[in-house]
Amino acid sequence: MDIEELMPQQPEDAGKEKKVSPLVSLEKDLELYKDSIHEIAIEIIAEGISKNPIFVAHQHTVSIGEMILNREELNTNWTIQASMFEEFVEKGIIQPAYKELFLKAYKKPEDYMCVFVIVPEGANFIYYPYNVGKR
């Protein structure tokens, strides 16, 4: 699956160069959201839905996961959707040949949120600690 399929609507200023990295605002929002995200991650694991929750951070409409934190409702910069490893494999974002490699690199979900960050330039996985001071 291509990034364009996940993010069909491009912002009007997609071609313009931005001076500040969007990751600055993402870190600010993740700090605000971390307790809610942690609670949902633990719930996903406890209910047996997945051992590997993945949260999708975006600023546009995407077609993966289920919205849990809406930037428009919360007056923030990033919307967060809850997903899981299995959906990423099913949609072809994580190729079958890389499943084991991904799971080997996956950090303990009780300590880190796995975030798939989607920006107009592309997408990537990051791990953000729930307890920033205890990295």
Side-chain angles (χ1 to χ4, degrees):
M1 176 174 277
D2 293 332
I3 191 72
E4 291 79 22
E5 292 178 75
L6 289 175
M7 192 174 80
Q9 300 173 359
Q10 294 292 325
E12 292 177 14
D13 64 346
K16 295 180 184 175
E17 190 174 327
K18 293 185 175 149
K19 294 178 181 158
V20 179
S21 169
L23 297 180
V24 172
S25 66
L26 176 60
E27 183 173 19
K28 184 176 157 187
D29 284 1
L30 289 179
E31 190 59 29
L32 179 68
Y33 295 157
K34 70 181 181 182
D35 291 337
S36 297
I37 292 173
H38 187 248
E39 187 177 312
I40 291 166
I42 298 304
E43 192 175 304
I44 288 169
I45 295 165
E47 291 183 9
I49 297 168
S50 177
K51 293 180 182 177
N52 308 98
I54 298 174
F55 297 93
V56 181
H58 61 89
Q59 296 177 317
H60 312 285
T61 302
V62 299
S63 60
I64 187 165
E66 190 175 312
M67 186 181 304
I68 57 170
L69 297 162
N70 185 329
R71 70 188 182 101
E72 293 171 3
E73 291 175 6
L74 298 168
N75 198 28
T76 55
N77 292 300
W78 294 83
T79 293
I80 306 294
Q81 297 193 189
S83 184
M84 62 193 111
F85 169 75
E86 295 81 0
E87 183 179 11
F88 274 66
V89 172
E90 181 183 305
K91 291 200 176 218
I93 300 164
I94 297 173
Q95 298 294 317
Y98 295 104
K99 285 171 37 175
E100 291 303 317
L101 186 62
F102 179 86
L103 290 173
K104 194 173 186 179
Y106 189 88
K107 293 189 178 197
K108 191 174 179 185
E110 293 83 6
D111 297 332
Y112 291 87
M113 65 179 87
C114 176
V115 184
F116 187 65
V117 183
I118 302 173
V119 293
E121 298 80 21
N124 209 343
F125 290 96
I126 64 165
Y127 289 90
Y128 190 79
Y130 291 113
N131 296 314
V132 178
K134 296 182 179 180
R135 290 182 200 195

